Amino acid sequence: MEGEPAEGEELIDDYVHCLMSLDTNARPGQSDGLILGAPVVDGAVGGGTEPDAMRDFASAGDPKEPAVGMTFESDEAAKAFYNEYARRLGFPFRVGRSRRSKGTEEVVIMKRFVCSREGMYKKKQTSPDEATRKRERMSMREGCNAMMEVVRESDHWIVAKLERAHNHDLGTCTTNVGYLRARGLLGGSDKVAMVGPDEMAFLRQNVLGEGGDAQGLLDYLKKAQANDPAFSHAIQVDKNGCVVNVFWADARAKAAYRHFGDAVTFDTSYKKNKYMMPFVTFSGVNHHLQLVIFGCALLMEETEFSFVWLFETWLAAMGGKAPCSLVTDQNRAMKTAVGKVFPNSCHRLCKWNILSRTKQKLTHVYTEHPTLRDELETCVLESETLATFETTWMSIIDKYELRKNSWLQAIYNIRQKWVPLYLMDTFFAEISPTWKLETMNDFYKKYFNTKTTLEVFLNQFNLSMASQYEDEAKADMDTYLNKATTKTASLIEKQAASTYTKAVFGKFQEEFTESLGFVIQKTEDGCISRYSITKDEDAPETFYVMYNALNKMANCSCKYFEFSGILCRHILGVYIIVDPRTLPPCYFLKRWTRTARDDDVLFQENNNYHDGDPSESITSRYNFLSVDAIRCAEKGAGSEAVYKAAKDILLKAYQEIAAYERNPSRGSQRDDININEDITVDDAMNDQSIPDSGRKVTNLLGQFLDSSWSPV
């Protein structure tokens, strides 16, 4: 059977070509990668140590020109090759045709990559009413015959048909716009605000879909800025004035990062979606185990320069504080950019992306061996020690005779970069190996199709974010109003129940319950004792806990606490034996607790968080105060009662500031305002019993932000 996918079909760089830059003959970086349609900037990478199994096995010399008979390990590898070829020459392309095998397992056996000007446009007949509602769309199609067709042969793909000649000019600025349009990034009738080499002026640029234009995006950013003083955005353009990338983050994103930005995921899962919306997010997990967004971008160029710009822009918006860990998909440009911008952050490849790619790479093997997929995923996700993982992996490989499979060999060779067991000494905020947050790809599947405009996209995304904030508020309320149920009389469990949110306590309770079933033996005594922990006497896996009796601190060989921020069942089992009654407070990470969003000191964290001197400029003072105002808004939105109290407190604080502005010399002689009584500014100024006016506003706001305070 044959199918003709949408022009914006996914553009995934094959892992065989890009994972961890294993190609020892990587191409040198180009000096100018901002011009759309210019050669891909891959960054010079050398010293690869892994075998050539990771490379596409194209013909000798790895030519940059396609030729009949060239071979690739996969259709995605062929697509990535043709994509680079198209970018170098300056023409857009799409998947024009594909064919699947007959039978129950419909496997793709042919793909044809065609110039986006292939074919001729046929205008659809529309009714007069439809004609008035829809504007005329320009077509790129001019009957161009350029194409490359690949077919599956056994375990590889071969170029069976090829046509290089085009019937139109290549490499012009208009073609660069066409490249975006072919990817679903520009509407057919949308124009670009720039002047190309032929001095032809284009008016405006659209970023996504049919309808709308770049002005719509600019209007969205301007409106967001007006409604949110702490809103940040930036636009990157190339030397011709073409919009390349757009970034933005609102106040709530920044606030979320302050509390939960220790572990970040850079989500580029849009590449898995056939609509190819180039929308990326920086995200994490909050204290209710819910997804939180730290910033968004429209990423139209995947060059090292663009990634560096985006990472640096986002980091600056977040106050310059880099995350402890960063999870991403992988390509050469992104890897290099991460190393430059986040040199001290632990960079890990997304295990879910690699497992997904493994499913695609082993389609035939999975069909032949239905249990293989579950066995491999269980090995990766549920192995508790490195020895168990490596032994299990090799036994699976031998069981199914897959030692010569280049893909499995390749991902095993880089296992330290994506298998969590090798990175357990770094915090990733992952409390379960099988736990998976919603990705932007899931978001696309719910709400979008090929006709979704930029305006609809942004509005729907804002609604989705509003829904997430509402879910967090509900979880906060549930945590405070409904007491978590304990399963034992242990003071440790009760301590955890009163400290953690309900969602996190549920995970802690699982560990605590499991700790009751271990065999624990003390193998070394003294100030620092050593314990061996096994599930039963004949268990193949043994864990070791070191316990310091002086400070009542412990650490385990499994390193689950370092990885997740929650104590493991092995340490909890030892604590039950040594009976310290309660756990040291340091084992309760604030990011997992009920007070995760509470600030200990209103202004201290703000001053420490930002670089620069508030006395330097109005802008710096404005930014510092905006952060404090946002905290007040976060607290005040919790309930109607708190909202009313917040309005009253902020109004009086504003009146105090205004009074001080009018007469700063008398400000030090004013007294504190009682927030529970009506009082005028004049009354406050006439009462000189307490001389510290600076403390007055701080007391008001501090009392409001104190989690123990509630309106009378």
Side-chain angles (χ1 to χ4, degrees), residues 89-190:
L89 268 64
F91 71 90
F93 82 98
R94 57 187 168 83
V95 179
R97 169 181 288 187
S98 63
R99 181 181 299 120
R100 294 179 178 271
S101 61
K102 297 179 180 179
T104 55
E105 293 293 334
E106 296 183 351
V107 178
V108 177
I109 59 175
M110 183 276 286
K111 274 192 178 181
R112 179 181 297 170
F113 310 111
V114 302
C115 174
S116 285
R117 300 187 181 226
E118 178 265 353
M120 299 300 295
Y121 176 68
K122 295 181 180 180
K123 186 176 180 180
K124 295 181 180 179
Q125 296 295 327
T126 58
S127 66
D129 291 339
E130 290 177 324
T132 58
R133 290 196 304 265
K134 295 184 178 180
R135 61 180 180 177
E136 183 66 18
R137 227 186 129 130
M138 295 171 60
S139 173
M140 294 179 60
R141 305 201 177 189
E142 300 178 6
C144 182
N145 294 321
M147 63 88 184
M148 183 180 81
E149 182 176 298
V150 293
V151 296
R152 182 192 293 270
E153 289 191 2
S154 184
D155 61 347
H156 65 276
W157 292 71
I158 186 170
V159 178
K161 296 180 182 180
L162 179 68
E163 176 57 58
R164 296 187 186 181
H166 294 260
N167 67 349
H168 53 87
D169 294 333
L170 302 177
T172 64
C173 200
T174 17
T175 303
N176 299 336
V177 177
Y179 185 85
L180 291 181
R181 186 171 290 126
R183 291 288 170 273
L185 310 182
L186 299 182
S189 59
D190 300 309

Side-chain angles (χ1 to χ4, degrees), residues 204-217:
R204 294 191 297 185
Q205 178 182 30
N206 183 15
V207 181
L208 287 175
E210 301 179 8
D213 51 24
Q215 189 61 46
L217 175 61

Side-chain angles (χ1 to χ4, degrees), residues 57 71 192 228 266 271-272 280 296 307 356 414 428 463 523 581 613 617 660 668 689:
F57 47 100
T71 56
V192 183
D228 180 359
F266 180 55
K271 293 193 294 184
K272 295 181 180 179
V280 300
C296 313
F307 281 124
S356 176
I414 61 165
F428 280 92
L463 290 174
T523 58
R581 299 185 65 82
D613 184 356
S617 68
Y660 185 85
S668 61
S689 59

Side-chain angles (χ1 to χ4, degrees), residues 91 113 119 170 179 243 359 470 514 602:
F91 71 90
F113 310 111
L170 302 177
Y179 185 85
V243 175
K359 177 184 176 182
E470 184 71 18
E514 287 293 325
L602 179 62

Side-chain angles (χ1 to χ4, degrees), residues 276-290:
M276 272 300 293
M277 293 182 180
F279 186 72
V280 300
T281 60
F282 296 89
S283 61
V285 58
N286 68 8
H287 54 323
H288 297 296
L289 306 184
Q290 299 166 332

